[in-house]
Amino acid sequence: MTNGDIIVSLDIGTSKVRAIIGEVTGTEIQIIGVGSADGDGIRKGAIVDIDKTVQSIRAAIDHAERMVGIQISSAYIGISGNHISLQSSHGVVAVNSPNREIGDEDIDRVLQASRVIALPPEREIIDVVPKGYVVDGLTDISDPRGMIGVRLEVDAYIITGSRTVIHNLVRCVERAGIQIAGLVLAPLAAGTVALTGDEKKLGVGLIDLGAGQTTVSVFKEGILEATTVLPVGGDHVTNDIAIGLRTQTEAAEGIKLRNGCALVNESVPDHTFKVSRVGGNADKEFSQVDLAHIIEPRMQEIFMMVRQELEKMGYKELAGGYVLTGGGANLPAVDKLAEIELESSVRVAIPEFLGVKDASFINGVGIIRNVAHNFTNKVEVAAAAPRRKAGGNGGGFVDKIKNWFNEFI
């Protein structure tokens, strides 16, 4: 990456689709544009209506383009869900250079070697995450560049996903007129923005409180060790409010965002609001305490499920505590409730960039930072008038996706 390179991320969530434009400046990034649209066509993190999803992606991209005055032709796409799995792998290569100095080419080759694993036909590799390198038997090396050796090995996690889910995601993005520059695992990307180096080294739980699902990821020894998805999220809280206050779902979502509080003891009795009720002409007044009595039990249940899932994964205690992201993390006092339920320190992560200082932007900003640090492919952004074309010179990744599609027909 060089100064002035543009990176576009696309975070396709259940409630919102967000396109974020970042500009690389030296080793830093700046957020220069944000587009957002309602996530029609997506339920519990899965695409259920391709046409509506395409419209949502197009609306978010158009919004971002108008904000910055440029035309977006390609983007990096965040991917998550219960179809994702991590598999350990090992790669070995001989160092190529005459002076035996390990370079980028050797690292690329050893990572490619680690990708050679047996996979079921319905699975596809999304990414490879190195856990540590070995140079001539010397272990626990985080970056072997510049070292002298003849044999380079890597212990890595292979991240795989459902070919069908990936195919549907790719098809939606391409039908919206956007080339896919690459897929990025959302928890891995979020970790680059939400977590500190010490937290990732000690062991920390990253909890993404989304609308349709809650993603739980564990980082330890500096790397992502595990990730899983629970089928509950902020939409369940909204449904509880709609039933409890007897109002429309859309009105319940607005009430949650404007007046919600996750903890009864932290809610304010004098904070009152009026609610239009289903089947009635007169509005009824409620207090924030009334609302907290509806929200708290559901959030308790979510954190209880998180704790049970972590215990099943083998993590009973994490020294770095827990970090909350996603739209649900914006609920007042949610961190205090989580501290009680998880019996550990909890904080909410918010990106430190103008225009995206909201926990729900963590994934989109994280994709940009992840790409800036780890990828070399550039996102093409045309300033001129010609309309975008899907496909084009999308490179090997796009060709690969098309090959997948051909296998389906």
Side-chain angles (χ1 to χ4, degrees):
M1 290 285 171
T2 59
N3 284 348
D5 277 345
I6 299 295
I7 302 170
V8 180
S9 71
L10 195 56
D11 180 23
I12 303 172
T14 300
S15 67
K16 294 287 182 184
V17 175
R18 288 196 166 110
I20 301 178
I21 304 174
E23 184 177 13
V24 178
T25 306
T27 58
E28 301 295 327
I29 60 171
Q30 290 183 320
I31 303 302
I32 60 174
V34 178
S36 185
D38 290 338
D40 293 335
I42 303 163
R43 295 288 179 274
K44 296 182 180 180
I47 295 170
V48 296
D49 188 318
I50 285 183
D51 289 339
K52 288 183 178 178
T53 303
V54 170
Q55 291 171 10
S56 296
I57 294 171
R58 192 63 257 163
I61 291 288
D62 286 344
H63 187 191
E65 288 179 335
R66 286 195 302 271
M67 179 179 285
V68 184
I70 60 177
Q71 190 175 36
I72 298 169
S73 62
S74 63
Y76 288 90
I77 316 300
I79 187 167
S80 64
N82 56 9
H83 65 102
I84 300 293
S85 65
L86 305 183
Q87 181 176 340
S88 293
S89 183
H90 188 79
V92 183
V93 296
V95 177
N96 249 352
S97 61
N99 60 2
R100 300 304 181 192
E101 180 175 323
I102 297 170
D104 289 337
E105 184 189 342
D106 299 305
I107 293 174
D108 288 342
R109 286 192 302 113
V110 78
L111 290 175
Q112 285 296 326
S114 70
R115 297 170 71 102
V116 182
I117 58 173
L119 275 181
E122 71 275 11
R123 306 291 296 176
E124 192 64 40
I125 294 175
I126 296 172
D127 202 356
V128 179
V129 181
K131 290 190 286 186
Y133 295 91
V134 181
V135 179
D136 292 347
L138 184 63
T139 60
D140 296 331
I141 297 172
S142 59
D143 188 354
R145 289 177 181 84
M147 292 185 174
I148 304 297
V150 295
R151 178 185 171 95
L152 178 63
E153 302 172 56
V154 66
D155 289 316
Y157 282 121
I158 306 295
I159 301 170
T160 67
S162 162
R163 179 174 289 193
T164 302
V165 173
I166 295 171
H167 163 76
N168 287 334
L169 179 65
V170 168
R171 188 170 189 185
C172 286
V173 175
E174 289 196 338
R175 281 184 57 182
I178 301 298
Q179 291 182 3
I180 295 180
L183 295 179
V184 181
L185 184 65
L188 193 64
T192 64
V193 175
L195 305 178
T196 67
D198 284 341
E199 286 173 336
K200 287 196 277 190
K201 188 175 181 181
L202 290 171
V204 62
L206 182 64
I207 304 171
D208 180 0
L209 297 166
Q213 60 187 16
T214 297
T215 304
V216 184
S217 307
V218 176
F219 291 76
K220 208 168 183 180
E221 299 295 335
I223 61 170
L224 175 66
E225 278 200 347
T227 185
T228 188
V229 173
L230 302 171
V232 290
D235 283 352
H236 291 78
V237 177
T238 301
N239 288 336
D240 292 345
I241 295 171
I243 294 170
L245 303 186
R246 297 180 185 176
T247 188
Q248 302 283 350
T249 303
E250 187 175 349
E253 177 69 15
I255 290 167
K256 180 183 74 175
L257 296 176
R258 290 189 298 272
N259 310 291
C261 183
L263 205 56
V264 173
N265 291 340
E266 294 287 328
S267 58
V268 180
D270 295 338
H271 181 145
T272 59
F273 54 92
K274 290 188 176 181
V275 177
S276 60
R277 312 193 84 193
V278 175
N281 295 323
D283 292 348
K284 185 173 180 179
E285 187 172 273
F286 291 92
S287 71
Q288 192 180 50
V289 176
D290 298 326
L291 189 58
H293 276 290
I294 298 173
I295 296 174
E296 184 177 313
R298 178 64 77 175
M299 295 306 297
Q300 277 180 325
E301 181 191 33
I302 291 174
F303 290 125
M304 182 186 70
M305 292 173 68
V306 167
R307 186 170 182 169
Q308 290 174 344
E309 194 67 20
L310 285 167
E311 288 177 354
K312 278 198 295 184
M313 294 159 65
Y315 300 100
K316 289 192 175 180
E317 188 174 348
L318 292 166
Y322 298 88
V323 176
L324 307 181
T325 67
N330 291 321
L331 203 58
V334 69
D335 51 341
K336 294 180 179 177
L337 178 64
E339 280 185 351
I340 296 169
E341 298 301 323
L342 298 173
E343 297 181 342
S344 184
S345 59
V346 176
R347 69 176 178 86
V348 175
I350 297 174
E352 292 295 326
F353 296 97
L354 286 175
V356 291
K357 289 189 175 182
D358 184 297
S360 63
F361 284 102
I362 284 284
N363 285 347
V365 175
I367 292 169
I368 291 174
R369 175 164 287 179
N370 185 280
V371 170
H373 286 182
N374 300 303
F375 288 75
T376 56
N377 291 335
K378 296 179 180 179
V379 174
E380 296 175 359
V381 179
R387 292 301 298 170
R388 58 193 72 75
K389 285 178 66 178
N393 59 342
F397 180 79
V398 174
D399 292 339
K400 194 174 181 181
I401 296 300
K402 287 177 178 175
N403 289 336
W404 295 344
F405 178 71
N406 290 334
E407 292 176 17
F408 276 80
I409 59 178

